[in-house]
Amino acid sequence: MNKYVLLVLINAPLIMFAILMAVTSYKTGRSTRRRCTVLVVFWLLVGIGMLFVEPLYDLLVRKNLTASPPLSVFDILLLSGLIFQMLIMVQLYDKLNNLSRKVSRMHEGIAIMEESKLKVNGSVANV
Amino acid sequence: MESSGVIGDRRRDVLAVIIPAYNEERAIAEVVRSVPPTLTVDDQTFRTVVIVVEDCSRDATYQNALDAGAIVIRHFINSGAGAATRTGFSYVLKNAERLGVAYVATIDADGQHSSGDLLHLLREAVATKADMLVGNRLHEGNKADMPRHRTLGNRGLSLISRGLFGITTEDTQSGLRMVTIDALPAISRFTIDRYGFCSEILWRARQKNLTVVEVPIGVKYSEETLGKGQSNWGVFDLVTDLITLRLIG
C-alpha cells in the first residue's frame, strides 16, 4: 500500500474525531462558538495538509528545497503520534480551562457566602 | 435601559461602589470613607453602598476596610483584579433587589480617583441614560498629573484593545466606571482574571450593543500609587490575555 494513503487512513479518523469533539463541546455549551470555529479550522488545515503531503513533497524536491528521503513507516508513526498528541493537548486544555472556571466560580461563591455568614453572626453592620 | 426607578414595591436608589483591593492597607480606609453616604443628582438622591473585595492581601486591608464601614468580601486565594471585580459584580447581582441597586460603579483602591468624579459619572449616567460610563484619564487636562510613561502605556493598551476588539474607548484601562444594574448581567461574566478584564468588559459591552459613554475625570498619583502600578511583565501578561481571548475566546 502507498505509504501516503496509509498516513491518511491512520490519521483521518483522529482528525474527524477531533472535529466532532470541538463541535460537541460547543453544542453542549462547554465551549464558545469562536473556540469551536478556531478548532474546526485548525483540524481541517491539519487534514488538508495530510491529504496533500505527497504533492507537497514532490514540489519541494522539484524546487530543490528538500533533500529528505520519501515517507517511511517510521515517519508515518511519528506524524500519527504527533497528531494524537495534539488531540490530547487540545482536550486537556479544554478540561483545564473548564476546571479553572469552575474553581473560580466556587471561590467567588464561597467568598460571598462567608460575607453573608459574617453579617448573620452580627460581626458586620447590616446594610 | 432605564435603571433608576421602582422594581416591584421597592425603589432603586442605591449606587453600589465596588473596590477591588490587594495590599492596600494604607489607602483603603480613606478611599472607603471618601465615598459620600448619599449623592444627589437633580432631585434624585442615591444612597451609596461600598463593597470592598479584598483579594487575599498579606496586610491589614481587610480589617481597615471593615473598620471604615464597607461590606468586605474576602478572597481566600489571590485571584487578580478582574476576578475580584467579578466577585463584586456577582455580589451586587445577588443582592440587587434587596439593596435596591440602580447603578454599580468600580473604583481603584489606591486612591487615584476622587468622589467628585463618582458624582460626575452618576450625573452623566442619569442625564445620558447610557448603559455604561467609563472615566477617561487620558485627556489634555490631566497631562501634568499623569506621568508620561503611564500615559504612553495606557494609550498603547487602548490601541491594542482597539486593534483586537474594535473598542473605540480612549482609556480602556480606567478603573473608574459605572454601569446600570440592567446592563450589569451582560458584562459581568468576563473571563480574564487579571488587568485585561478592563478591555474585556468593554468588548462584552460592544458585543451586547450597550451604549458606552466616556467622561473626563481627574487622577491623583502618589509615590505609592506609582510604585504599585503595572510592571512591564504585568503589561506583557495583559497583552497575552487579550490576544488569547481574541483568538480562542
Side-chain angles (χ1 to χ4, degrees), chain A residues 94-105, chain B residues 193:
Chain A
D94 273 352
K95 274 196 196 304
L96 211 63
N97 213 15
N98 283 329
L99 200 66
S100 158
R101 276 184 199 171
K102 276 182 192 166
V103 170
S104 228
R105 278 183 196 176
Chain B
D193 285 345

Side-chain angles (χ1 to χ4, degrees), chain B residues 25 29 37 44 68-69 95 113 116 121 128 140 148 155 160 167 170 182 185 195 197 208 228 242 244:
Chain B
E25 64 177 358
Q44 256 181 301
N95 296 284
H113 305 302
L121 248 73
T128 60
E140 280 299 305
R148 205 174 158 76
R155 280 200 189 282
I160 291 169
I167 300 165
E170 195 181 358
D182 297 323
Y195 283 103
F197 83 97
K208 299 281 179 185
K228 289 194 79 174
L242 293 181
T244 311

Side-chain angles (χ1 to χ4, degrees), chain A residues 3-5 12 19 29-30 40 42 45 52-53 56 58 70-71 75 80-81 90 94-95 98-99 103 110-111:
Chain A
K3 292 195 180 81
Y4 291 98
V5 176
I19 291 173
R30 281 177 286 134
V40 169
F42 171 75
L45 285 176
F52 294 100
V53 166
L56 188 69
D58 290 344
L71 194 70
D75 290 336
S80 305
V90 170
D94 273 352
K95 274 196 196 304
N98 283 329
L99 200 66
V103 170
I110 292 173

Side-chain angles (χ1 to χ4, degrees), chain A residues 34-35 38 107-108 118-119, chain B residues 79 90-91 246-248:
Chain A
R34 172 172 284 102
R35 180 153 176 73
V38 169
H107 182 213
E108 194 180 294
L118 276 177
K119 215 183 307 177
Chain B
S79 309
S90 292
Y91 180 86
R246 178 74 257 200
L247 291 179
I248 307 176

